[in-house]
Amino acid sequence: GYSLIRKLIADKPSILKAKVGKEPFIDAVLRPHTAYYPYLKDILDSPKVRGLAHITGDGICGNLERILPGGLSALVDLKTIEVLPLFKVIKEVGGTPEEDMINNLNMGVGMIMVTAPAQEIAMIQYLENKGIHSYHIGEIINDEDNTVKFSGKLNWGK
């Protein structure tokens, strides 16, 4: 993700004048990521947690594929992703194609937890109670492709 941001700054230095809310773009993009371990440590051995993918520089696809066992794929519904204001600035001011963003940035999804459908509400509630905003973005499907598939379109809002 940082390689894309460095290229964006080099190609469109005007982005450094942009604001993300009231914050300068550079401050927003350099804000430290959330360290998830303190929030997850109590449930790492739980059978409710079937997989965790920390979404970093390879985007959702590159990181989520690493935890998929053979014969399964992930279907991520892009319209459910809550696109953060920082990514809207990167797209609008930087003119970054959506595909590049999806492939290189986490789009505001810092961690993906895979859990059984019957456990989903309880796990979302657990994380929310710990102060980690959580929501459903997709499902694991039987599929020999063993990849991440996307449906829907990102909602860029205003």
Side-chain angles (χ1 to χ4, degrees):
Y2 284 116
S3 296
L4 177 67
I5 298 301
R6 281 193 302 274
K7 182 176 181 342
L8 177 60
I9 291 170
D11 291 348
K12 300 212 176 179
S14 63
I15 199 164
L16 293 172
K17 295 177 183 163
K19 297 273 189 193
V20 178
K22 295 182 180 183
E23 185 177 31
F25 171 79
I26 196 69
D27 291 346
V29 82
L30 291 175
R31 187 178 319 116
H33 75 278
T34 300
Y36 292 99
Y37 178 74
Y39 306 103
L40 297 172
K41 67 181 180 178
D42 295 337
I43 58 170
L44 289 176
D45 293 330
S46 171
K48 295 177 182 178
V49 178
R50 303 235 177 125
L52 290 168
H54 187 202
I55 311 304
T56 57
D58 285 334
I60 292 171
C61 189
N63 291 283
L64 186 53
E65 280 182 353
R66 292 184 185 119
I67 69 165
L68 292 172
L72 297 176
S73 288
L75 179 60
V76 175
D77 185 355
L78 292 173
K79 73 178 177 291
T80 65
I81 293 177
E82 298 173 7
V83 179
L84 300 178
L86 172 62
F87 299 103
K88 293 175 185 179
V89 170
I90 292 169
K91 182 177 188 296
E92 292 168 10
V93 178
T96 307
E98 186 172 304
E99 184 176 350
D100 289 350
M101 294 181 70
I102 291 169
N103 290 333
N104 293 288
L105 303 172
N106 70 21
M107 301 307 298
V109 178
M111 178 74 70
I112 293 177
M113 176 188 289
V114 178
T115 189
Q119 301 299 325
E120 180 181 11
I121 292 171
M123 297 310 290
I124 287 173
Q125 189 61 53
Y126 172 85
L127 293 168
E128 291 282 342
N129 288 341
K130 294 282 188 177
I132 297 295
H133 179 55
S134 305
Y135 57 96
H136 174 92
I137 65 166
E139 61 187 306
I140 302 300
I141 58 174
N142 289 318
D143 181 60
E144 292 301 320
D145 289 346
N146 198 226
T147 189
V148 175
K149 300 169 187 291
F150 295 107
S151 66
K153 296 278 186 190
L154 288 171
N155 180 6
W156 293 99
K158 291 184 177 182

PDB file of all heavy atoms in Angstrom, residues 54-91:
ATOM      1  N   HIS A  54      -4.877 -10.602   8.271  1.00  0.00           N
ATOM      2  CA  HIS A  54      -4.540  -9.185   8.463  1.00  0.00           C
ATOM      3  C   HIS A  54      -4.386  -8.585   7.068  1.00  0.00           C
ATOM      4  O   HIS A  54      -3.555  -9.022   6.287  1.00  0.00           O
ATOM      5  CB  HIS A  54      -3.238  -9.070   9.260  1.00  0.00           C
ATOM      6  CG  HIS A  54      -2.911  -7.681   9.648  1.00  0.00           C
ATOM      7  ND1 HIS A  54      -1.640  -7.301   9.962  1.00  0.00           N
ATOM      8  CD2 HIS A  54      -3.685  -6.574   9.789  1.00  0.00           C
ATOM      9  CE1 HIS A  54      -1.632  -6.018  10.276  1.00  0.00           C
ATOM     10  NE2 HIS A  54      -2.865  -5.555  10.169  1.00  0.00           N
ATOM     11  N   ILE A  55      -5.204  -7.601   6.749  1.00  0.00           N
ATOM     12  CA  ILE A  55      -5.239  -7.058   5.396  1.00  0.00           C
ATOM     13  C   ILE A  55      -4.222  -5.926   5.287  1.00  0.00           C
ATOM     14  O   ILE A  55      -4.409  -4.848   5.838  1.00  0.00           O
ATOM     15  CB  ILE A  55      -6.660  -6.586   5.006  1.00  0.00           C
ATOM     16  CG1 ILE A  55      -7.694  -7.675   5.326  1.00  0.00           C
ATOM     17  CG2 ILE A  55      -6.698  -6.188   3.539  1.00  0.00           C
ATOM     18  CD1 ILE A  55      -7.421  -9.039   4.690  1.00  0.00           C
ATOM     19  N   THR A  56      -3.148  -6.217   4.567  1.00  0.00           N
ATOM     20  CA  THR A  56      -2.034  -5.286   4.420  1.00  0.00           C
ATOM     21  C   THR A  56      -1.866  -4.945   2.944  1.00  0.00           C
ATOM     22  O   THR A  56      -2.833  -4.886   2.210  1.00  0.00           O
ATOM     23  CB  THR A  56      -0.759  -5.906   5.015  1.00  0.00           C
ATOM     24  OG1 THR A  56      -0.501  -7.150   4.358  1.00  0.00           O
ATOM     25  CG2 THR A  56      -0.911  -6.161   6.507  1.00  0.00           C
ATOM     26  N   GLY A  57      -0.624  -4.776   2.503  1.00  0.00           N
ATOM     27  CA  GLY A  57      -0.316  -4.271   1.182  1.00  0.00           C
ATOM     28  C   GLY A  57      -0.786  -5.067  -0.016  1.00  0.00           C
ATOM     29  O   GLY A  57      -0.768  -4.547  -1.123  1.00  0.00           O
ATOM     30  N   ASP A  58      -1.204  -6.288   0.162  1.00  0.00           N
ATOM     31  CA  ASP A  58      -1.721  -7.062  -0.971  1.00  0.00           C
ATOM     32  C   ASP A  58      -3.235  -6.987  -1.051  1.00  0.00           C
ATOM     33  O   ASP A  58      -3.859  -7.764  -1.770  1.00  0.00           O
ATOM     34  CB  ASP A  58      -1.282  -8.525  -0.880  1.00  0.00           C
ATOM     35  CG  ASP A  58       0.170  -8.721  -1.251  1.00  0.00           C
ATOM     36  OD1 ASP A  58       0.708  -7.894  -2.017  1.00  0.00           O
ATOM     37  OD2 ASP A  58       0.779  -9.689  -0.775  1.00  0.00           O
ATOM     38  N   GLY A  59      -3.837  -6.077  -0.297  1.00  0.00           N
ATOM     39  CA  GLY A  59      -5.278  -5.911  -0.336  1.00  0.00           C
ATOM     40  C   GLY A  59      -6.023  -7.115   0.226  1.00  0.00           C
ATOM     41  O   GLY A  59      -5.431  -8.055   0.756  1.00  0.00           O
ATOM     42  N   ILE A  60      -7.327  -7.073   0.111  1.00  0.00           N
ATOM     43  CA  ILE A  60      -8.174  -8.138   0.645  1.00  0.00           C
ATOM     44  C   ILE A  60      -7.870  -9.461  -0.033  1.00  0.00           C
ATOM     45  O   ILE A  60      -7.676 -10.484   0.619  1.00  0.00           O
ATOM     46  CB  ILE A  60      -9.662  -7.758   0.501  1.00  0.00           C
ATOM     47  CG1 ILE A  60      -9.986  -6.576   1.422  1.00  0.00           C
ATOM     48  CG2 ILE A  60     -10.570  -8.952   0.798  1.00  0.00           C
ATOM     49  CD1 ILE A  60     -11.359  -5.966   1.208  1.00  0.00           C
ATOM     50  N   CYS A  61      -7.794  -9.453  -1.348  1.00  0.00           N
ATOM     51  CA  CYS A  61      -7.603 -10.684  -2.106  1.00  0.00           C
ATOM     52  C   CYS A  61      -6.285 -11.377  -1.736  1.00  0.00           C
ATOM     53  O   CYS A  61      -6.261 -12.546  -1.384  1.00  0.00           O
ATOM     54  CB  CYS A  61      -7.649 -10.369  -3.603  1.00  0.00           C
ATOM     55  SG  CYS A  61      -7.691 -11.814  -4.649  1.00  0.00           S
ATOM     56  N   GLY A  62      -5.196 -10.657  -1.822  1.00  0.00           N
ATOM     57  CA  GLY A  62      -3.881 -11.251  -1.583  1.00  0.00           C
ATOM     58  C   GLY A  62      -3.702 -11.810  -0.195  1.00  0.00           C
ATOM     59  O   GLY A  62      -3.013 -12.813   0.000  1.00  0.00           O
ATOM     60  N   ASN A  63      -4.321 -11.185   0.788  1.00  0.00           N
ATOM     61  CA  ASN A  63      -4.164 -11.641   2.168  1.00  0.00           C
ATOM     62  C   ASN A  63      -5.172 -12.711   2.556  1.00  0.00           C
ATOM     63  O   ASN A  63      -4.828 -13.670   3.238  1.00  0.00           O
ATOM     64  CB  ASN A  63      -4.251 -10.445   3.123  1.00  0.00           C
ATOM     65  CG  ASN A  63      -3.050  -9.540   2.976  1.00  0.00           C
ATOM     66  OD1 ASN A  63      -1.975  -9.849   3.462  1.00  0.00           O
ATOM     67  ND2 ASN A  63      -3.221  -8.432   2.269  1.00  0.00           N
ATOM     68  N   LEU A  64      -6.399 -12.576   2.114  1.00  0.00           N
ATOM     69  CA  LEU A  64      -7.419 -13.563   2.454  1.00  0.00           C
ATOM     70  C   LEU A  64      -7.155 -14.901   1.764  1.00  0.00           C
ATOM     71  O   LEU A  64      -7.386 -15.962   2.346  1.00  0.00           O
ATOM     72  CB  LEU A  64      -8.809 -13.020   2.108  1.00  0.00           C
ATOM     73  CG  LEU A  64     -10.028 -13.847   2.506  1.00  0.00           C
ATOM     74  CD1 LEU A  64     -10.013 -14.212   3.983  1.00  0.00           C
ATOM     75  CD2 LEU A  64     -11.312 -13.107   2.142  1.00  0.00           C
ATOM     76  N   GLU A  65      -6.618 -14.868   0.547  1.00  0.00           N
ATOM     77  CA  GLU A  65      -6.322 -16.123  -0.155  1.00  0.00           C
ATOM     78  C   GLU A  65      -5.338 -16.995   0.622  1.00  0.00           C
ATOM     79  O   GLU A  65      -5.389 -18.217   0.529  1.00  0.00           O
ATOM     80  CB  GLU A  65      -5.760 -15.840  -1.546  1.00  0.00           C
ATOM     81  CG  GLU A  65      -6.820 -15.504  -2.555  1.00  0.00           C
ATOM     82  CD  GLU A  65      -6.276 -15.267  -3.952  1.00  0.00           C
ATOM     83  OE1 GLU A  65      -5.044 -15.237  -4.147  1.00  0.00           O
ATOM     84  OE2 GLU A  65      -7.107 -15.108  -4.858  1.00  0.00           O
ATOM     85  N   ARG A  66      -4.458 -16.380   1.384  1.00  0.00           N
ATOM     86  CA  ARG A  66      -3.430 -17.130   2.119  1.00  0.00           C
ATOM     87  C   ARG A  66      -4.003 -18.052   3.184  1.00  0.00           C
ATOM     88  O   ARG A  66      -3.329 -18.983   3.607  1.00  0.00           O
ATOM     89  CB  ARG A  66      -2.449 -16.160   2.768  1.00  0.00           C
ATOM     90  CG  ARG A  66      -1.604 -15.433   1.782  1.00  0.00           C
ATOM     91  CD  ARG A  66      -0.567 -14.551   2.487  1.00  0.00           C
ATOM     92  NE  ARG A  66       0.139 -13.780   1.488  1.00  0.00           N
ATOM     93  CZ  ARG A  66       0.159 -12.464   1.421  1.00  0.00           C
ATOM     94  NH1 ARG A  66      -0.464 -11.746   2.336  1.00  0.00           N
ATOM     95  NH2 ARG A  66       0.811 -11.839   0.479  1.00  0.00           N
ATOM     96  N   ILE A  67      -5.220 -17.783   3.639  1.00  0.00           N
ATOM     97  CA  ILE A  67      -5.775 -18.622   4.712  1.00  0.00           C
ATOM     98  C   ILE A  67      -6.847 -19.589   4.222  1.00  0.00           C
ATOM     99  O   ILE A  67      -7.403 -20.338   5.014  1.00  0.00           O
ATOM    100  CB  ILE A  67      -6.312 -17.770   5.881  1.00  0.00           C
ATOM    101  CG1 ILE A  67      -7.572 -16.988   5.488  1.00  0.00           C
ATOM    102  CG2 ILE A  67      -5.231 -16.856   6.440  1.00  0.00           C
ATOM    103  CD1 ILE A  67      -8.344 -16.427   6.665  1.00  0.00           C
ATOM    104  N   LEU A  68      -7.136 -19.567   2.924  1.00  0.00           N
ATOM    105  CA  LEU A  68      -8.186 -20.446   2.398  1.00  0.00           C
ATOM    106  C   LEU A  68      -7.659 -21.860   2.179  1.00  0.00           C
ATOM    107  O   LEU A  68      -6.699 -22.054   1.444  1.00  0.00           O
ATOM    108  CB  LEU A  68      -8.720 -19.902   1.070  1.00  0.00           C
ATOM    109  CG  LEU A  68      -9.495 -18.604   1.125  1.00  0.00           C
ATOM    110  CD1 LEU A  68      -9.788 -18.112  -0.293  1.00  0.00           C
ATOM    111  CD2 LEU A  68     -10.776 -18.766   1.923  1.00  0.00           C
ATOM    112  N   PRO A  69      -8.299 -22.849   2.781  1.00  0.00           N
ATOM    113  CA  PRO A  69      -7.902 -24.232   2.499  1.00  0.00           C
ATOM    114  C   PRO A  69      -8.391 -24.654   1.115  1.00  0.00           C
ATOM    115  O   PRO A  69      -9.280 -24.022   0.540  1.00  0.00           O
ATOM    116  CB  PRO A  69      -8.599 -25.037   3.596  1.00  0.00           C
ATOM    117  CG  PRO A  69      -9.705 -24.185   4.094  1.00  0.00           C
ATOM    118  CD  PRO A  69      -9.339 -22.759   3.793  1.00  0.00           C
ATOM    119  N   GLY A  70      -7.813 -25.704   0.584  1.00  0.00           N
ATOM    120  CA  GLY A  70      -8.200 -26.210  -0.725  1.00  0.00           C
ATOM    121  C   GLY A  70      -9.688 -26.493  -0.815  1.00  0.00           C
ATOM    122  O   GLY A  70     -10.312 -26.928   0.145  1.00  0.00           O
ATOM    123  N   GLY A  71     -10.258 -26.206  -1.972  1.00  0.00           N
ATOM    124  CA  GLY A  71     -11.668 -26.490  -2.221  1.00  0.00           C
ATOM    125  C   GLY A  71     -12.610 -25.402  -1.747  1.00  0.00           C
ATOM    126  O   GLY A  71     -13.819 -25.534  -1.888  1.00  0.00           O
ATOM    127  N   LEU A  72     -12.062 -24.334  -1.182  1.00  0.00           N
ATOM    128  CA  LEU A  72     -12.902 -23.239  -0.709  1.00  0.00           C
ATOM    129  C   LEU A  72     -12.420 -21.918  -1.298  1.00  0.00           C
ATOM    130  O   LEU A  72     -11.237 -21.721  -1.541  1.00  0.00           O
ATOM    131  CB  LEU A  72     -12.865 -23.134   0.817  1.00  0.00           C
ATOM    132  CG  LEU A  72     -13.413 -24.325   1.596  1.00  0.00           C
ATOM    133  CD1 LEU A  72     -13.231 -24.115   3.091  1.00  0.00           C
ATOM    134  CD2 LEU A  72     -14.880 -24.570   1.273  1.00  0.00           C
ATOM    135  N   SER A  73     -13.368 -21.021  -1.524  1.00  0.00           N
ATOM    136  CA  SER A  73     -13.073 -19.660  -1.951  1.00  0.00           C
ATOM    137  C   SER A  73     -13.820 -18.710  -1.026  1.00  0.00           C
ATOM    138  O   SER A  73     -14.678 -19.122  -0.256  1.00  0.00           O
ATOM    139  CB  SER A  73     -13.523 -19.429  -3.402  1.00  0.00           C
ATOM    140  OG  SER A  73     -12.686 -20.109  -4.310  1.00  0.00           O
ATOM    141  N   ALA A  74     -13.475 -17.455  -1.110  1.00  0.00           N
ATOM    142  CA  ALA A  74     -14.196 -16.423  -0.356  1.00  0.00           C
ATOM    143  C   ALA A  74     -14.951 -15.557  -1.350  1.00  0.00           C
ATOM    144  O   ALA A  74     -14.434 -15.232  -2.421  1.00  0.00           O
ATOM    145  CB  ALA A  74     -13.227 -15.577   0.451  1.00  0.00           C
ATOM    146  N   LEU A  75     -16.164 -15.207  -1.017  1.00  0.00           N
ATOM    147  CA  LEU A  75     -16.970 -14.301  -1.817  1.00  0.00           C
ATOM    148  C   LEU A  75     -17.183 -13.043  -0.980  1.00  0.00           C
ATOM    149  O   LEU A  75     -17.880 -13.071   0.036  1.00  0.00           O
ATOM    150  CB  LEU A  75     -18.311 -14.944  -2.186  1.00  0.00           C
ATOM    151  CG  LEU A  75     -19.255 -14.074  -3.016  1.00  0.00           C
ATOM    152  CD1 LEU A  75     -18.617 -13.677  -4.347  1.00  0.00           C
ATOM    153  CD2 LEU A  75     -20.566 -14.810  -3.253  1.00  0.00           C
ATOM    154  N   VAL A  76     -16.530 -11.952  -1.383  1.00  0.00           N
ATOM    155  CA  VAL A  76     -16.602 -10.685  -0.663  1.00  0.00           C
ATOM    156  C   VAL A  76     -17.552  -9.757  -1.418  1.00  0.00           C
ATOM    157  O   VAL A  76     -17.372  -9.528  -2.615  1.00  0.00           O
ATOM    158  CB  VAL A  76     -15.203 -10.047  -0.538  1.00  0.00           C
ATOM    159  CG1 VAL A  76     -15.280  -8.666   0.101  1.00  0.00           C
ATOM    160  CG2 VAL A  76     -14.270 -10.959   0.266  1.00  0.00           C
ATOM    161  N   ASP A  77     -18.528  -9.231  -0.702  1.00  0.00           N
ATOM    162  CA  ASP A  77     -19.504  -8.315  -1.286  1.00  0.00           C
ATOM    163  C   ASP A  77     -18.989  -6.888  -1.092  1.00  0.00           C
ATOM    164  O   ASP A  77     -19.064  -6.334   0.008  1.00  0.00           O
ATOM    165  CB  ASP A  77     -20.861  -8.504  -0.608  1.00  0.00           C
ATOM    166  CG  ASP A  77     -21.958  -7.669  -1.239  1.00  0.00           C
ATOM    167  OD1 ASP A  77     -21.660  -6.856  -2.144  1.00  0.00           O
ATOM    168  OD2 ASP A  77     -23.112  -7.824  -0.811  1.00  0.00           O
ATOM    169  N   LEU A  78     -18.447  -6.302  -2.140  1.00  0.00           N
ATOM    170  CA  LEU A  78     -17.827  -4.986  -2.051  1.00  0.00           C
ATOM    171  C   LEU A  78     -18.791  -3.906  -1.558  1.00  0.00           C
ATOM    172  O   LEU A  78     -18.359  -2.954  -0.903  1.00  0.00           O
ATOM    173  CB  LEU A  78     -17.227  -4.586  -3.399  1.00  0.00           C
ATOM    174  CG  LEU A  78     -16.017  -5.402  -3.849  1.00  0.00           C
ATOM    175  CD1 LEU A  78     -15.621  -5.020  -5.268  1.00  0.00           C
ATOM    176  CD2 LEU A  78     -14.848  -5.222  -2.887  1.00  0.00           C
ATOM    177  N   LYS A  79     -20.075  -4.048  -1.849  1.00  0.00           N
ATOM    178  CA  LYS A  79     -21.011  -2.991  -1.428  1.00  0.00           C
ATOM    179  C   LYS A  79     -21.175  -2.936   0.086  1.00  0.00           C
ATOM    180  O   LYS A  79     -21.662  -1.942   0.616  1.00  0.00           O
ATOM    181  CB  LYS A  79     -22.352  -3.114  -2.138  1.00  0.00           C
ATOM    182  CG  LYS A  79     -23.246  -4.238  -1.702  1.00  0.00           C
ATOM    183  CD  LYS A  79     -24.581  -4.210  -2.461  1.00  0.00           C
ATOM    184  CE  LYS A  79     -25.471  -5.357  -2.101  1.00  0.00           C
ATOM    185  NZ  LYS A  79     -24.995  -6.656  -2.558  1.00  0.00           N
ATOM    186  N   THR A  80     -20.740  -3.962   0.807  1.00  0.00           N
ATOM    187  CA  THR A  80     -20.850  -3.951   2.268  1.00  0.00           C
ATOM    188  C   THR A  80     -19.653  -3.271   2.934  1.00  0.00           C
ATOM    189  O   THR A  80     -19.722  -2.935   4.110  1.00  0.00           O
ATOM    190  CB  THR A  80     -20.970  -5.386   2.829  1.00  0.00           C
ATOM    191  OG1 THR A  80     -19.762  -6.104   2.557  1.00  0.00           O
ATOM    192  CG2 THR A  80     -22.163  -6.110   2.243  1.00  0.00           C
ATOM    193  N   ILE A  81     -18.585  -3.059   2.192  1.00  0.00           N
ATOM    194  CA  ILE A  81     -17.381  -2.472   2.778  1.00  0.00           C
ATOM    195  C   ILE A  81     -17.602  -0.987   3.045  1.00  0.00           C
ATOM    196  O   ILE A  81     -18.034  -0.241   2.178  1.00  0.00           O
ATOM    197  CB  ILE A  81     -16.163  -2.705   1.872  1.00  0.00           C
ATOM    198  CG1 ILE A  81     -15.846  -4.210   1.857  1.00  0.00           C
ATOM    199  CG2 ILE A  81     -14.957  -1.893   2.338  1.00  0.00           C
ATOM    200  CD1 ILE A  81     -14.726  -4.608   0.954  1.00  0.00           C
ATOM    201  N   GLU A  82     -17.312  -0.588   4.255  1.00  0.00           N
ATOM    202  CA  GLU A  82     -17.461   0.799   4.678  1.00  0.00           C
ATOM    203  C   GLU A  82     -16.182   1.552   4.296  1.00  0.00           C
ATOM    204  O   GLU A  82     -15.201   1.532   5.029  1.00  0.00           O
ATOM    205  CB  GLU A  82     -17.738   0.869   6.171  1.00  0.00           C
ATOM    206  CG  GLU A  82     -19.043   0.169   6.547  1.00  0.00           C
ATOM    207  CD  GLU A  82     -19.273   0.056   8.037  1.00  0.00           C
ATOM    208  OE1 GLU A  82     -18.486   0.631   8.843  1.00  0.00           O
ATOM    209  OE2 GLU A  82     -20.236  -0.627   8.415  1.00  0.00           O
ATOM    210  N   VAL A  83     -16.205   2.176   3.129  1.00  0.00           N
ATOM    211  CA  VAL A  83     -15.031   2.858   2.601  1.00  0.00           C
ATOM    212  C   VAL A  83     -14.748   4.103   3.453  1.00  0.00           C
ATOM    213  O   VAL A  83     -15.595   4.980   3.584  1.00  0.00           O
ATOM    214  CB  VAL A  83     -15.224   3.245   1.121  1.00  0.00           C
ATOM    215  CG1 VAL A  83     -14.010   3.971   0.590  1.00  0.00           C
ATOM    216  CG2 VAL A  83     -15.530   2.001   0.275  1.00  0.00           C
ATOM    217  N   LEU A  84     -13.553   4.146   4.015  1.00  0.00           N
ATOM    218  CA  LEU A  84     -13.173   5.261   4.876  1.00  0.00           C
ATOM    219  C   LEU A  84     -12.832   6.506   4.051  1.00  0.00           C
ATOM    220  O   LEU A  84     -12.419   6.399   2.894  1.00  0.00           O
ATOM    221  CB  LEU A  84     -11.968   4.860   5.724  1.00  0.00           C
ATOM    222  CG  LEU A  84     -12.170   3.656   6.644  1.00  0.00           C
ATOM    223  CD1 LEU A  84     -10.888   3.325   7.391  1.00  0.00           C
ATOM    224  CD2 LEU A  84     -13.312   3.896   7.616  1.00  0.00           C
ATOM    225  N   PRO A  85     -12.974   7.684   4.651  1.00  0.00           N
ATOM    226  CA  PRO A  85     -12.687   8.937   3.936  1.00  0.00           C
ATOM    227  C   PRO A  85     -11.294   8.993   3.312  1.00  0.00           C
ATOM    228  O   PRO A  85     -11.130   9.554   2.226  1.00  0.00           O
ATOM    229  CB  PRO A  85     -12.860  10.011   5.017  1.00  0.00           C
ATOM    230  CG  PRO A  85     -13.829   9.413   5.980  1.00  0.00           C
ATOM    231  CD  PRO A  85     -13.513   7.936   5.990  1.00  0.00           C
ATOM    232  N   LEU A  86     -10.292   8.405   3.933  1.00  0.00           N
ATOM    233  CA  LEU A  86      -8.940   8.404   3.374  1.00  0.00           C
ATOM    234  C   LEU A  86      -8.922   7.796   1.978  1.00  0.00           C
ATOM    235  O   LEU A  86      -8.292   8.320   1.054  1.00  0.00           O
ATOM    236  CB  LEU A  86      -7.982   7.633   4.289  1.00  0.00           C
ATOM    237  CG  LEU A  86      -6.575   7.399   3.740  1.00  0.00           C
ATOM    238  CD1 LEU A  86      -5.851   8.716   3.507  1.00  0.00           C
ATOM    239  CD2 LEU A  86      -5.791   6.497   4.671  1.00  0.00           C
ATOM    240  N   PHE A  87      -9.636   6.713   1.795  1.00  0.00           N
ATOM    241  CA  PHE A  87      -9.635   6.028   0.503  1.00  0.00           C
ATOM    242  C   PHE A  87     -10.416   6.809  -0.548  1.00  0.00           C
ATOM    243  O   PHE A  87     -10.098   6.749  -1.732  1.00  0.00           O
ATOM    244  CB  PHE A  87     -10.152   4.597   0.668  1.00  0.00           C
ATOM    245  CG  PHE A  87      -9.282   3.809   1.610  1.00  0.00           C
ATOM    246  CD1 PHE A  87      -9.691   3.565   2.903  1.00  0.00           C
ATOM    247  CD2 PHE A  87      -8.030   3.375   1.222  1.00  0.00           C
ATOM    248  CE1 PHE A  87      -8.872   2.886   3.788  1.00  0.00           C
ATOM    249  CE2 PHE A  87      -7.210   2.692   2.097  1.00  0.00           C
ATOM    250  CZ  PHE A  87      -7.628   2.446   3.388  1.00  0.00           C
ATOM    251  N   LYS A  88     -11.405   7.567  -0.093  1.00  0.00           N
ATOM    252  CA  LYS A  88     -12.135   8.431  -1.021  1.00  0.00           C
ATOM    253  C   LYS A  88     -11.221   9.513  -1.565  1.00  0.00           C
ATOM    254  O   LYS A  88     -11.258   9.828  -2.756  1.00  0.00           O
ATOM    255  CB  LYS A  88     -13.357   9.035  -0.320  1.00  0.00           C
ATOM    256  CG  LYS A  88     -14.401   7.982   0.034  1.00  0.00           C
ATOM    257  CD  LYS A  88     -15.552   8.561   0.830  1.00  0.00           C
ATOM    258  CE  LYS A  88     -16.489   7.441   1.249  1.00  0.00           C
ATOM    259  NZ  LYS A  88     -17.612   7.919   2.037  1.00  0.00           N
ATOM    260  N   VAL A  89     -10.346  10.059  -0.710  1.00  0.00           N
ATOM    261  CA  VAL A  89      -9.389  11.071  -1.155  1.00  0.00           C
ATOM    262  C   VAL A  89      -8.398  10.466  -2.140  1.00  0.00           C
ATOM    263  O   VAL A  89      -8.094  11.062  -3.177  1.00  0.00           O
ATOM    264  CB  VAL A  89      -8.662  11.715   0.050  1.00  0.00           C
ATOM    265  CG1 VAL A  89      -7.496  12.585  -0.408  1.00  0.00           C
ATOM    266  CG2 VAL A  89      -9.641  12.530   0.893  1.00  0.00           C
ATOM    267  N   ILE A  90      -7.909   9.283  -1.851  1.00  0.00           N
ATOM    268  CA  ILE A  90      -6.952   8.619  -2.748  1.00  0.00           C
ATOM    269  C   ILE A  90      -7.583   8.409  -4.117  1.00  0.00           C
ATOM    270  O   ILE A  90      -6.937   8.625  -5.144  1.00  0.00           O
ATOM    271  CB  ILE A  90      -6.472   7.286  -2.135  1.00  0.00           C
ATOM    272  CG1 ILE A  90      -5.613   7.569  -0.899  1.00  0.00           C
ATOM    273  CG2 ILE A  90      -5.705   6.454  -3.162  1.00  0.00           C
ATOM    274  CD1 ILE A  90      -5.298   6.340  -0.062  1.00  0.00           C
ATOM    275  N   LYS A  91      -8.846   8.027  -4.144  1.00  0.00           N
ATOM    276  CA  LYS A  91      -9.526   7.800  -5.423  1.00  0.00           C
ATOM    277  C   LYS A  91      -9.834   9.115  -6.140  1.00  0.00           C
ATOM    278  O   LYS A  91      -9.524   9.268  -7.318  1.00  0.00           O
ATOM    279  CB  LYS A  91     -10.821   7.020  -5.216  1.00  0.00           C
ATOM    280  CG  LYS A  91     -11.565   6.709  -6.517  1.00  0.00           C
ATOM    281  CD  LYS A  91     -12.803   5.883  -6.250  1.00  0.00           C
ATOM    282  CE  LYS A  91     -13.473   5.390  -7.493  1.00  0.00           C
ATOM    283  NZ  LYS A  91     -14.004   6.418  -8.345  1.00  0.00           N
TER     284      LYS A  91
END
